[in-house]
Amino acid sequence: MEDHWGNSPSSDDRVPGTDLHLPLTGKGSKRDQLMHALREAISSGRLAPGTRLPPYRALAKDLGLALNTVGAAYGELVAEGWLTARQGSGTRVAQRSRPLPRERTHRSAPPPRRPAHDLMPTSPDAAAFPRTAWQAAARRAMAAAPNDAFGVGDPHGRIELRTQLTEYLARARGVRTAPHRIIICAGVAHGLSLLGTVLRRPVAVEAYGLDFHRDLLTAAGRDLVPLPVDAHGADVGALPGTGAGAVLLTPAHQFPTGGPLHPERRAAVIDWARATGGLVLEDDYDGEFRYDREPVGAVQGLDPDRVVYLGSLSKSLTPALRLGWMAVPDHLVDELLAAKGSRELWSGSVDQLTLAEFLAGGAYDRHLRRMRQTYRRRRDQLVTTLARQAPHITVSGIAAGLHAVLDLPPGTEQQALRAAGRLGVALAGLAPFRHPDSGMPARDGLVIGYGTPPDHAFAGALNALCMALPAAPQRTPRG
Amino acid sequence: MEDHWGNSPSSDDRVPGTDLHLPLTGKGSKRDQLMHALREAISSGRLAPGTRLPPYRALAKDLGLALNTVGAAYGELVAEGWLTARQGSGTRVAQRSRPLPRERTHRSAPPPRRPAHDLMPTSPDAAAFPRTAWQAAARRAMAAAPNDAFGVGDPHGRIELRTQLTEYLARARGVRTAPHRIIICAGVAHGLSLLGTVLRRPVAVEAYGLDFHRDLLTAAGRDLVPLPVDAHGADVGALPGTGAGAVLLTPAHQFPTGGPLHPERRAAVIDWARATGGLVLEDDYDGEFRYDREPVGAVQGLDPDRVVYLGSLSKSLTPALRLGWMAVPDHLVDELLAAKGSRELWSGSVDQLTLAEFLAGGAYDRHLRRMRQTYRRRRDQLVTTLARQAPHITVSGIAAGLHAVLDLPPGTEQQALRAAGRLGVALAGLAPFRHPDSGMPARDGLVIGYGTPPDHAFAGALNALCMALPAAPQRTPRG
């Protein structure tokens, strides 16, 4: 290489090694450090394009490096395009056109300031994640995993997990399925996106629901038809005549208004699906948490050929593990797997195997029992605090889940949200959940999540909430 | 509830408990077991719609259950829509319309028979996954994680991982970036999908490349322009005039043909990007594995404002953890995060934190060193075996990575693939990697992955491969 580069100590335009200020620091070998220092010197402009580098003997001596360390670094930087080496011309910094004037640099917005009190209806109690039990399940799963668990995965999902879910969902949620009819996905939203691409006709949605889910279905090309919602859930009697081929429901606990779907409506939606070849998409997002009695089983059990059941860990354990599942009719399995794609975007195998162990060992049941007590206590505390400090506010949807709805006098929702913001309370109004074309009268209210705050901060969060609520109407003195 | 249901032992159409055959088995409470048995009896048709159920006193006696266990089970099944309870009419199986005749049941295709020898160029050695080291990193990560690691995640990715990757990529790959410019994704394919939605102009691609990546960009709405490929990688000199706003390259090791991008082409593509405001998408899928000398650093280092660097664990560690990363120009961070969405499809936090620990503790470097030796040994074995058993076949692309290309006489690729199939050898031909509109002459060849087979099976796989290759051309006797 020496011959080829042709440097010699007498070259007149060489940068003496001592002037280069190449600090060799950081991790890695001396060669790595030298390469790093040279790249920095070039990219900062200290070594301009066309500059001849010192012969590597000279640089090696100056920096106290072995000859072939410098030779190797030069060689690598030539291969990478930083330097050029031509017979007779030595090693030089590569010529490069000037960069365009830099486009306006958008700095990422700084992360939003964390609110003092988080009552958003989004998340379970992160502090309650059962680290030790999860870690123990991971250890068992890792020890038991066959080698193919670390190869290219099956988008269907690990069979170990699908088998455990079949048993668990039957026992805890009344779901009737089989391992080959379960598809593992990265969460309910992922499942809905896949369904959106497989369905052909419009999808009926609850007039109050997650705008985020509506957007996913729309992005997948589906037209949406809103269904009215009342205290008994969605009015599925309105389905005939809408042209909908599927209906997305939250039967265990209507989101966000909070009622369970009435038994007669459960029966009616199955009848509709059977009569029309329609499909029920059952989002069972928090079905495990019910406080007034045992959890209400899934609609799916009534007809596994007409219902797609969707669930995930997001409310029951953590949204940080991207794990969800669909129990689907037999005739949709292949189409949904094709939509999922043969190569990418499935959930990590280690997490899947760990969850299978977590289910098999009973740790999931234990965690749910514990959290049911925790959340029930918080719900009671919310109700008691409101009864004492804001008795004029009606609270509903409290039989289940991680959130409740506070009904507000008409026209006061925005004002309450602003007041909450000033008090450092993050919470959601009802408005964003309302389908814009639902035709239902807008209802003023707040959706209060009680899962997120840590235990010690919950009372303070409730007090701040009560301060943000509209005052009781003044009694007009008679006469 | 007793009054309300109005059952009495003398009802004439009741099904006597003793005839019901309700086997109470399985996990869960007696109530769960009874509910399960009743659901089964109803869904199997043994309990027909409209049938009156036995009064719960009678059933409790027959099955040896507490009264309120039966009452609770009936109540739940009413709530779920399986039963109806009307004053004066007792508890009955809910009426339901008959299901439509079942749609043709597609059984999922049985999983393809596993080939005897897997030489597909897709995957690293699954058996070499460092379970113990990964598990140790997971334990440390779990102990150190703040509570918010188990809350709603940031689609940007965990800062712990982005910080570690910044350091690692600088040291090992010459990437110049910063934590806020790294975006964690579920793999290179996920990253390309996001880029596809953010780019506006056509994307130039290598005439030989992953059809899967081309499909992702097309699905995102991008037109593709193929660039010729030769032994020095893609001919980026053909870029001007194509109208492309970006170019997808595999500079460290052209996939699948195997050459590194020539230093002059590295410089030229940066010049093109600077002159036109274009973007280089650098897929560094196996950059860590280079055998003839140290890995060639990333093109990204030459101009971090004009190159998006994409990497993942899929070749270096395992494709089973869905973890990849992009180092992107500052001005693209916000747009790419918006495309990723604020809610879903990020990678699991536990895996992200574990990888951060795995990097910080040096376990990733150790694993790469070990695998470099393993794959180098396999590559040598492939080359030696071919030299001995099929000296007429040229092998190329062997300086790096987990695969090599065997050049075949024109018109023999399909025949060789069929022969390999008969011998139980899974491998890929060159044809599917060729862009159909590339204008390049089709080249016959096989792409041989040597990462997948376990060590003990590798020699057998190579022997089978050699048997599938076209025989040496007969020498025509002179005269």
Side-chain angles (χ1 to χ4, degrees), chain A residues 27-28 31-32 36 39-40 43 75-76 78-82 86 95-100 102-109 114 122-123 126-127 129 131 134-135 138-139 142-152 156 167 170-171 173-174 176 180-181 186-187 189-190 210-212 261-264 266-267 270-271 273-277 293-298 301-303 305-306 318-322 330-331 333-334 337 343-351 359-360, chain B residues 27-28 31-32 36 39-40 43 75-76 78-82 86 95-100 102-109 114 122-123 126-127 129 131 134-135 138-139 142-152 156 167 170-171 173-174 176 180-181 186-187 189-190 210-212 261-264 266-267 270-271 273-277 293-298 301-303 305-306 318-322 330-331 333-334 337 343-351 359-360:
Chain A
K27 279 195 193 177
R31 186 191 57 86
D32 288 346
H36 183 73
R39 287 196 199 101
E40 282 305 312
S43 57
E76 284 304 308
V78 169
E80 292 182 12
W82 293 88
R86 296 230 185 282
Q95 295 289 349
R96 183 138 311 133
S97 63
R98 292 212 160 271
L100 291 179
R102 249 231 183 126
E103 283 152 67
R104 191 169 65 80
T105 299
H106 310 234
R107 278 273 140 195
S108 292
R114 187 171 291 226
T122 44
S123 174
F129 181 80
R131 301 183 189 213
W134 185 259
Q135 182 59 22
R139 196 171 53 238
M142 195 69 93
N147 281 336
D148 75 9
F150 305 104
V152 174
H156 207 139
E167 190 276 326
R171 174 164 58 77
R173 307 296 301 125
R176 295 188 292 141
H180 87 274
R181 287 169 49 177
H190 183 202
L210 276 181
D211 50 346
F212 168 51
L261 189 63
H262 191 275
E264 283 174 12
R266 293 175 155 245
I270 295 295
D271 281 348
R274 287 179 171 186
T276 62
R293 60 178 177 193
E294 289 296 314
V296 180
L302 295 178
D303 194 338
D305 286 328
R306 301 259 55 102
T318 172
L321 294 164
R322 304 309 307 146
D330 219 23
H331 68 274
V333 172
D334 291 348
L337 287 178
R343 306 249 208 159
E344 283 290 340
L345 288 179
W346 57 88
S347 309
S349 297
V350 172
D351 286 345
L359 283 160
Chain B
K27 280 194 193 177
R31 188 191 57 86
D32 288 346
H36 183 72
R39 288 196 200 102
E40 282 305 312
S43 57
E76 284 305 309
V78 168
E80 291 182 11
W82 293 88
R86 296 230 185 281
Q95 295 289 348
R96 182 138 310 133
S97 63
R98 291 209 163 274
L100 291 179
R102 253 243 185 108
E103 283 151 67
R104 191 168 66 80
T105 299
H106 312 235
R107 279 273 141 196
S108 292
R114 188 172 292 225
T122 44
S123 174
F129 181 80
R131 300 183 189 213
W134 185 260
Q135 181 59 22
R139 196 173 51 240
M142 194 70 93
N147 281 336
D148 75 9
F150 306 104
V152 175
H156 207 140
E167 190 276 326
R171 174 165 57 79
R173 308 296 302 125
R176 294 188 293 142
H180 87 273
R181 287 168 49 176
H190 183 203
L210 275 181
D211 50 347
F212 168 51
L261 189 64
H262 191 276
E264 284 174 11
R266 292 175 155 244
I270 295 296
D271 281 349
R274 287 180 171 185
T276 63
R293 59 177 177 195
E294 289 297 313
V296 180
L302 295 177
D303 194 339
D305 286 328
R306 301 259 56 102
T318 172
L321 293 163
R322 305 309 309 146
D330 219 24
H331 67 274
V333 172
D334 291 348
L337 287 178
R343 306 252 208 155
E344 284 290 340
L345 288 178
W346 57 87
S347 308
S349 297
V350 173
D351 286 345
L359 284 160

Side-chain angles (χ1 to χ4, degrees), chain A residues 431-446:
Chain A
F433 298 110
R434 180 166 168 272
H435 189 293
D437 309 327
S438 70
M440 284 184 70
R443 174 177 162 191
D444 280 70
L446 299 176

Side-chain angles (χ1 to χ4, degrees), chain A residues 188-330:
Chain A
V188 168
H190 183 202
L192 278 181
S193 296
L194 298 174
L195 285 162
T197 63
V198 160
L199 298 172
R200 292 286 160 263
R201 287 185 280 161
V203 177
V205 297
E206 296 169 320
Y208 277 88
L210 276 181
D211 50 346
F212 168 51
H213 285 177
R214 293 195 295 262
D215 292 347
L216 286 172
L217 290 169
T218 308
R222 302 282 65 76
D223 288 330
L224 301 185
V225 185
L227 288 181
V229 165
D230 60 29
H232 298 305
D235 179 9
V236 298
L239 276 170
T242 58
V247 55
L248 172 61
L249 298 174
T250 47
H253 188 218
Q254 205 284 325
F255 189 86
T257 65
L261 189 63
H262 191 275
E264 283 174 12
R265 291 184 176 174
R266 293 175 155 245
V269 77
I270 295 295
D271 281 348
W272 167 82
R274 287 179 171 186
T276 62
L279 204 61
V280 180
L281 314 181
E282 177 172 29
D283 176 4
D284 195 37
Y285 67 102
D286 69 357
E288 278 100 346
F289 298 121
R290 190 156 191 95
Y291 312 119
D292 54 353
R293 60 178 177 193
E294 289 296 314
V296 180
V299 169
Q300 190 268 3
L302 295 178
D303 194 338
D305 286 328
R306 301 259 55 102
V307 183
V308 173
Y309 173 92
L310 296 127
S312 82
L313 293 184
S314 293
K315 304 285 181 197
S316 61
L317 188 61
T318 172
L321 294 164
R322 304 309 307 146
L323 275 178
W325 43 85
M326 292 189 277
V328 311
D330 219 23

